[in-house]
Amino acid sequence: QVRSDELLHSMLPLSVVEDLREGRRARGTHHEAVTILFSDIVGFTDISSRNKPQQVCNMLDELYTCFDTISSFFDVYKVETIGDAYMVLGGAPNVCPPSEAAEKVALFALAALEAVRNFRQAHGATVLIRCGMASGPVVA
């Protein structure tokens, strides 16, 4: 039971886990102003073609485990990791003022860029990320 709870909490917001546990349909909540960050690895297709699959998986795991730590530090919510894409959200599900949400996400972005710089130095790898941010209303 503890292990399944940990898995659910790593993938879903607490409110969704509670709804599902109690047999309720998970509901979306309207948030008037949040900030989301989208990031991906520049040239990921080329990197994948030049390396063995296990090397690519190890790189992503190491880099995104670091990003997970950074997201906890800045209290932003990791929305999704798909392939080389990494997304975080400020202002939901942990509600905060819009300017604070934007600041948390921007600080996450700067720390992620620094983590990539350190990753390149440690591994001698050519890894760059693109980051984009947007603010506005969402239902999540």
Side-chain angles (χ1 to χ4, degrees):
Q1 179 66 32
V2 171
R3 194 157 157 75
S4 66
D5 283 350
E6 288 174 355
L7 179 61
L8 285 172
H9 290 292
S10 72
M11 297 186 307
L12 300 168
L14 181 59
S15 63
V16 172
V17 172
E18 289 171 354
D19 284 346
L20 294 174
R21 182 170 285 128
E22 300 201 9
R24 294 187 304 254
R25 187 173 168 190
R27 63 198 184 288
T29 303
H30 181 266
H31 299 276
E32 190 56 41
V34 301
T35 298
I36 190 163
L37 173 128
F38 307 88
S39 71
D40 71 340
I41 296 174
V42 176
F44 182 72
T45 302
D46 187 50
I47 291 169
S48 296
S49 69
R50 288 185 286 115
N51 292 281
K52 294 179 180 172
Q54 191 61 51
Q55 291 172 306
V56 174
C57 287
N58 291 344
M59 176 194 72
L60 289 173
D61 182 55
E62 185 176 340
L63 195 56
Y64 289 165
T65 297
C66 181
F67 285 9
D68 290 346
T69 301
I70 295 167
S71 70
S72 295
F73 182 79
F74 289 107
D75 192 30
V76 293
Y77 179 74
K78 179 172 88 169
V79 177
E80 194 69 57
T81 306
I82 302 173
D84 68 314
Y86 192 95
M87 296 169 43
V88 297
L89 182 67
N94 300 333
V95 178
C96 63
S99 61
E100 185 179 328
E103 180 179 16
K104 286 178 179 185
V105 172
L107 291 171
F108 169 87
L110 292 172
L113 290 168
E114 182 64 25
V116 169
R117 203 171 1 265
N118 292 337
F119 182 87
R120 282 197 312 262
Q121 291 173 350
H123 296 282
T126 306
V127 177
L128 300 169
I129 62 170
R130 279 183 287 252
C131 294
M133 293 172 47
S135 297
V138 298
V139 174

